[in-house]
């Protein structure tokens, strides 16, 4: 499956889209399923928490 066929979360509208419907600056993804794309904000927050914890551990 190419990225053009995958699902994206539109950061401006909060909608799930398939393919390159929105400009790249407005898309988060790609995701393999529409369900994962719908969870994009939650996934991004969790990844940010993990990265912040890793950065903090490296600074110690």
């Amino acid at each position: 499956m190419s990225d053009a066929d995958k699902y994206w979360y539109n950061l401006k509208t909060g909608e799930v889209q398939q393919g390159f419907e929105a400009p790249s600056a407005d898309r988060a993804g790609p995701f393999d399923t529409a369900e994962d794309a719908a969870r994009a904000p939650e996934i991004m927050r969790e990844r940010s928490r993990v990265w912040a914890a890793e950065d903090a551990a490296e600074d110690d």
Side-chain angles (χ1 to χ4, degrees), residues 18-42:
Q18 188 171 17
F20 301 130
E21 293 181 28
S24 61
D26 297 336
R27 292 190 316 253
F31 297 92
D32 290 332
T33 67
E35 292 79 15
D36 284 345
R39 293 183 44 245
E42 175 186 339

Side-chain angles (χ1 to χ4, degrees), residues 35-55:
E35 292 79 15
D36 284 345
R39 293 183 44 245
E42 175 186 339
I43 291 168
M44 290 185 292
R45 281 190 298 275
E46 179 59 29
R47 288 178 182 167
S48 291
R49 279 192 291 272
V50 169
W51 292 331
E54 290 172 354
D55 286 346

